[in-house]
Amino acid sequence: MSTEPEWTSLCSQKQKAQQDSIPREWIIQKIPISERPNVLDVPEMCGLLSPQEIMITETTDIGNILEKLRTAEWSSLETLIAFYKRAVIAHQMTNCLTEIFVERALERARYLDEVLAKTGKVVGPLHGLPISLKDQFTMKGLETVMGYVSGIGQYADQDCVIVQILYECGAVPFVRTNVPQTLMWGETHNNVFGRTLNPYNRSLTPGGSSGGEGALLAMKGSPLGIGTDIGGSLRIPSAFCGLYTLRPSYGRLPYYGAANALSGQESISSVLGPMANSLSGIKDFMTAVIGAKPWRLDPVVVRKPWDEEEWNLCEHGGVGAQLCFAIMWDNGVVRPHPPLVRAMQMTKAALEKMGHKVIDWEPHRHLEIYKNAETIFVADGNHDYLTECAKSGEPLIRTMVPSEEEELAQGYEFEPPYPFVKTLVGDEPEHMKAYDLWKLHDEKRQLRKSHLDHWEKTASQTGTGRPVDAIISPAVAYTAVPHGLNTDSFYTTLCNALDYTTSVFPVTHVDPEVDLPHEPHEFYNHEDEAIYKLYQTELFEGCPVGLQLIGRTLEEEAVLRMTYIVDDALKRWKSEAQAGG
């Protein structure tokens, strides 16, 4: 008689069902991590994709893909098959997928091709576009595991609102992607599907909690993905995997019907957003979803159509005006690693070359904001996590360090620092009374007002007659790190607490010859010291380096436009630097 706990057999059954959902002819040879840490070239080299499929999946400009689908130069079916095969390759290298529903997606693609052939018209603005979804977005007839064993066997009886809107827009949802247990990790690992790896270096994390999306998109296994963000879960994997993303403000996009952790916690709301290899993909998604009037289906969505005046920077001097950006070189909690500093220096130089002004940002009450936000997150004393785990009997995962049976454990010699956040909120947080939680909410409102006033006062420094147009900072103090070591997320959580619309954009990659270790500084705390000591140029060689652009609340249009301006400036600056070098 087996002594194996029932929850482990449930996991084994689910893993087998997932494996069985992959067409046999799409299986490729396993490659040990030690043999090839970087697997970005595997899709092109493995022989599974035809030259046409490689061309389709290497097309990162979503506008270009949509145009070819609209004109029937590419069929929805061939586009889907190309990305599906590449997604399955990515999964075999990084373990990024959860639900794989080939026949359902193929049927959808055939339907879209038939409509276009018969009517000459597309179904909607995202006609034929394959879209991957984080494993929170419920789809009728599919399980929503969301990192918990208790999710096995829980089949959705309807689509969540964002999936309904994707169908309205003509898109083809085709895979769902891995998340960590609880969703509240900056890495991606759970007891059901296991650990997701970073394709730039599989011994490093892709981030989390939208880490499955990060790994999949980095391998170009999807043209556009949808993740979520409550403390950095869109931005951390985008920074670690070289992607673009947008973290909208509360209520701009429809979340209703999606599964979630900490459900009912509405002081710092989780939001959904797009992730892609191009900014055009971010804009196409935003205009399509907002154009579908999501407030018809989700009562929490702000009734705000896409605003072309804001897109044209009406509150920032207009298109072509001199902008003033402020760089947050350091948040006073953890000092960034050398590649992040170089990325900020590059961005400053690129913007100044284009005639924009760049000043230094002075952090304001950061420790108070950090403690307030993190205390709100654990106000239930971990009751939510423990209750969900108790349903199946699975243990609560308390570390992301690889376990002994994992391939990653070979040669693993890191010791994660004790997270500084636990010194703020307690190692075993108490289950707060409602009145005490209300006091935290009141404090958060006061902190938001104080930060708003601080931002407004920058008008005296900018020379534009306006306050700072946007802040540029690291999304994380480091690039992708070894599994188990992503312990700090305050660069991103700051924006969730203040509800600032924020984007992430890639800048460069770690260069061991340039990104040399800095001299020790006066450490802010023990975690800052541990993160400083972690930096070794050879450990992070080739990793993407991304930054975030922080705007005001509900300023999605302007933040996206300013991200275009920064991205274009960087591309121009790098091109001129290469030509001159």
Side-chain angles (χ1 to χ4, degrees), residues 531-562:
I531 287 169
Y532 168 80
K533 290 178 177 176
L534 174 66
Y535 184 70
Q536 305 162 34
T537 49
E538 66 278 4
L539 182 64
F540 303 108
E541 181 176 0
C543 283
V545 186
L547 298 175
Q548 62 181 354
L549 185 145
I550 304 166
R552 308 289 192 106
T553 304
L554 289 170
E555 204 181 20
E556 288 74 25
E557 293 89 342
V559 164
L560 193 50
R561 189 62 177 267
M562 286 189 281

Side-chain angles (χ1 to χ4, degrees), residues 510-523:
V510 177
D511 182 344
E513 293 185 14
V514 178
D515 298 315
L516 302 175
H518 292 164
E519 289 296 314
H521 57 278
E522 189 174 332
F523 299 118

Side-chain angles (χ1 to χ4, degrees), residues 240 334 336-337 340 476-481 485-489 531 534:
F240 284 3
V334 173
H337 276 179
L340 277 301
V476 196
Y478 33 78
T479 59
V481 289
L485 299 188
N486 187 19
T487 56
D488 177 78
S489 64
I531 287 169
L534 174 66

Side-chain angles (χ1 to χ4, degrees), residues 396-431:
L396 179 66
I397 294 173
R398 295 183 181 273
T399 178
M400 286 282 147
V401 171
S403 57
E404 289 181 7
E405 63 270 17
E406 290 183 70
E407 185 183 352
L408 286 161
Q410 297 174 17
Y412 188 92
E413 52 190 27
F414 302 100
E415 185 65 40
Y418 183 75
F420 175 61
V421 66
K422 290 190 175 183
T423 67
L424 298 177
V425 303
D427 203 350
E428 293 295 333
E430 63 173 314
H431 195 153

Side-chain angles (χ1 to χ4, degrees), residues 40 46 59 73 219 236 306 401 408 442:
L40 291 171
C46 69
T59 306
E73 184 178 338
M219 291 198 70
I236 295 167
W306 179 263
V401 171
L408 286 161
D442 187 48

